[in-house]
Amino acid sequence: APAAADGDRLGRWRLGKSPKPWAYGTRWDGADGGSGSSASLRLFDRRLCASPERLLAALRAAAPAKHPGVAAPFEMFVDGTNAVLAYPSSAAKPLAKWFEQGRGVPPAQAVRFLKRLAPALDAAHRAGRAHGGLSPDCILVAGDGTIVLEDFGIGAALAALGLPPAGSPAYAAPELETGSAGPAADLYSLGILLYELVTGRHPFEGTNLPAMKREKRYTPFSRAAPGCPPALDALLAGLLE
């Protein structure tokens, strides 16, 4: 059951709409009547909040270096037994909405997507930070093609606390099964996102997802999307290594 309801308050924020699913709990629209400002509030599932203060400390430690391609929460706080993140409100749509259409994009368009997303990951990795939960739900795409990455460091923070990764298993690297969230895991997730962008399908479709990942049982681009440049096959193999 949700830990809050319409009209409840979290800190200075009044919850205005019913919650939406979030990889780590629930997402709410919040309004501060005093200032007229609004926010996207992320409320962690209670199963991850045995110690909300400890969770927020781990999140602060996992925060990436500032980068225009990364949306960082402007407020983190504990409200009772809840750990809450407040993000700026955004009209951009998650990449997951694109994937729901079930069709791929031309390889050149997928490469443009990579060129917009990769610098934000690269900057964080150079600073020793990892996202730890890269998926279509945390990548926002604006109408002008601008890409912003959300939820940075949450997967890494949960791993540091010995908590199970709550993100999207379909996009998680095999090593996340043992709780290791590093830059290499982000690159693996990026490879899966690239495949789905180009083909409109997930590379690992079957009943035993962990085994298919470990054994790399997927159809190469050259067969799944005829006409793809051979370089994309090599790039994907490197990302999924």
Side-chain angles (χ1 to χ4, degrees):
D6 288 357
D8 281 356
R9 298 192 73 88
L10 289 173
R12 64 190 173 101
W13 304 99
R14 185 178 186 278
L15 303 182
K17 292 184 179 179
S18 298
K20 301 177 182 66
W22 179 49
Y24 304 95
T26 51
R27 183 195 315 251
W28 297 78
D29 292 324
D32 178 4
S35 66
S37 58
S38 61
S40 176
L41 302 178
R42 314 299 166 82
L43 182 63
F44 282 90
D45 189 300
R46 289 250 174 105
R47 289 170 293 183
L48 303 176
C49 285
S51 175
E53 292 86 357
R54 209 169 147 236
L55 175 58
L56 290 190
L59 289 170
R60 290 188 178 101
K66 289 186 178 180
H67 188 279
V70 176
F74 61 83
E75 190 177 351
M76 299 184 185
F77 59 93
V78 172
D79 185 286
T81 58
N82 298 317
V84 186
L85 305 181
Y87 280 87
S89 295
S90 174
K93 301 297 182 185
L95 186 64
K97 296 292 185 183
W98 193 345
F99 283 175
E100 284 173 5
Q101 298 174 9
R103 62 174 186 267
V105 303
Q109 189 173 346
V111 169
R112 284 196 296 273
F113 168 84
L114 282 181
K115 286 183 175 180
R116 288 171 176 163
L117 176 61
L121 282 175
D122 183 60
H125 291 170
R126 289 176 184 273
R129 300 288 190 267
H131 187 285
L134 198 60
S135 77
D137 288 316
C138 64
I139 300 170
L140 301 183
V141 184
D144 62 358
T146 301
I147 290 174
V148 176
L149 188 55
E150 289 191 326
D151 299 343
F152 205 106
I154 294 178
L158 293 177
L161 294 176
L163 293 169
S168 302
Y171 298 90
E175 62 265 29
L176 291 180
E177 295 172 26
T178 61
S180 175
D186 288 348
L187 296 181
Y188 185 95
S189 301
L190 189 62
I192 292 183
L193 290 168
L194 174 63
Y195 190 96
E196 199 163 357
L197 266 175
V198 173
T199 67
R201 299 173 55 186
H202 194 277
F204 304 110
E205 296 180 333
T207 56
N208 192 338
L209 183 61
M212 293 186 75
K213 285 182 178 180
R214 287 192 299 271
E215 298 166 12
K216 300 185 180 66
R217 282 188 266 147
Y218 67 91
T219 304
F221 276 136
S222 51
R223 297 209 313 269
C228 267
L232 276 188
D233 267 341
L235 174 61
L236 180 65
L239 291 170
L240 298 183
E241 181 57 45

